[in-house]
Amino acid sequence: MVDKGLILLVEDEPEIAQILDAYLVRDGFRTVRAADGETALTHHSVLSPDLVLLDVRIPRLDGFEVLARIRRESNTPTIMVTALAEDLDRLAGLRLGADDYVVKPFNPQEVVARVNAVLRRTRNGAGATVLRFENVEVDLDAHAAFVENSGKRQSLPLTLSEFRILAHMIRRPTHAFDRADILDACLPDSDALARTVDTHVANLRRKLEDLGACGFFSAVRGVGYRFVEPR
């Protein structure tokens, strides 16, 4: 069977977790489970799942807090699971960054269908290819980047190399990338030295600051750069 990716299943009710796990595996996914919010964040950090299926009412840290922390570090697709009307109101009323939600009681086949649909929308080359962090947006299809500041959405003028570096690093905003990794990922056909990355990053930082987006592309001593400092 084709490996369709790793799903982080965050659910504290064992029976529900077991059922969802079985349906996801049968559909071709690999799974890892977490029964509380802190374990979920640890698994997310270490394993980099393709999607998180996240129950709202879990111990230690609830699903909303887990989602908020995930969004500070990555754009991992996330589907929220809830049974309470007040959670639905909150999901509808706030821009929490969830890609979809399902309501208990649910048909597990529907949940698997939602997982497949979200992954189709969010994976490169299939559906939506817009990456966002705070007020910075990268549209991979349009090959364009934008900064929103004081209610204005302004285009970020980038070279091809600068665009590739921004798109590469915004996917994992707090990850420390070394210069060689950035060079391999973004300039694979170039004969440039790793130190060339310094020039591109400096230009990116300046262009972002010119549009009011400050605090990005910080240096990591002895390593390279990260898009934003962990908070």
Side-chain angles (χ1 to χ4, degrees), residues 18-146:
Q18 185 174 353
I19 291 170
L20 287 174
D21 192 305
Y23 274 81
L24 288 164
V25 169
R26 188 172 69 180
D27 200 61
F29 292 101
R30 290 173 289 117
T31 62
V32 60
R33 295 194 215 174
D36 63 77
E38 291 185 1
T39 303
L41 289 172
T42 299
H43 284 342
H44 179 268
S45 177
V46 173
L47 300 173
S48 298
D50 295 280
L51 181 141
V52 181
L53 192 57
L54 177 59
D55 191 44
V56 170
R57 299 296 168 177
I58 50 176
R60 300 176 80 176
L61 294 172
D62 71 18
F64 293 122
E65 179 61 25
V66 172
L67 177 60
R69 296 195 188 187
I70 286 175
R71 284 293 171 263
R72 290 174 198 154
E73 300 180 359
S74 78
N75 294 292
T76 306
T78 302
I79 299 176
M80 304 294 283
V81 181
T82 184
L84 301 177
E86 56 263 37
D87 290 337
L88 288 174
D89 291 340
R90 189 173 178 187
L91 282 165
L94 297 179
R95 295 178 62 184
L96 296 172
D99 295 273
D100 199 355
Y101 67 89
V102 293
V103 182
K104 296 177 180 179
F106 49 69
N107 182 329
Q109 291 179 316
E110 179 189 352
V111 177
V112 174
R114 297 283 191 95
V115 167
N116 281 298
V118 168
L119 286 174
R120 281 196 300 270
R121 290 201 307 268
T122 56
R123 279 176 167 160
N124 290 347
T129 51
V130 176
L131 308 173
R132 294 185 182 87
F133 186 85
E134 294 185 355
N135 60 337
V136 180
E137 175 184 310
V138 177
D139 188 327
L140 300 177
D141 281 343
H143 211 277
F146 305 91

Side-chain angles (χ1 to χ4, degrees), residues 154-172:
Q154 302 178 79
S155 178
L156 189 62
L158 301 177
T159 66
L160 175 59
S161 296
E162 291 165 359
F163 180 86
R164 286 175 173 173
I165 291 172
L166 175 60
H168 181 61
M169 294 180 65
I170 200 173
R171 297 174 192 273
R172 301 175 67 190

Side-chain angles (χ1 to χ4, degrees), residues 135-137 145-147 149 154 156-158 166 201-217 227:
N135 60 337
V136 180
E137 175 184 310
F146 305 91
V147 172
N149 191 27
Q154 302 178 79
L156 189 62
L158 301 177
L166 175 60
V201 168
N203 289 336
L204 271 166
R205 188 189 298 119
R206 175 180 53 78
K207 291 177 180 182
L208 284 164
E209 290 174 350
D210 287 346
L211 296 183
C214 301
F216 296 107
F217 289 105
F227 185 63

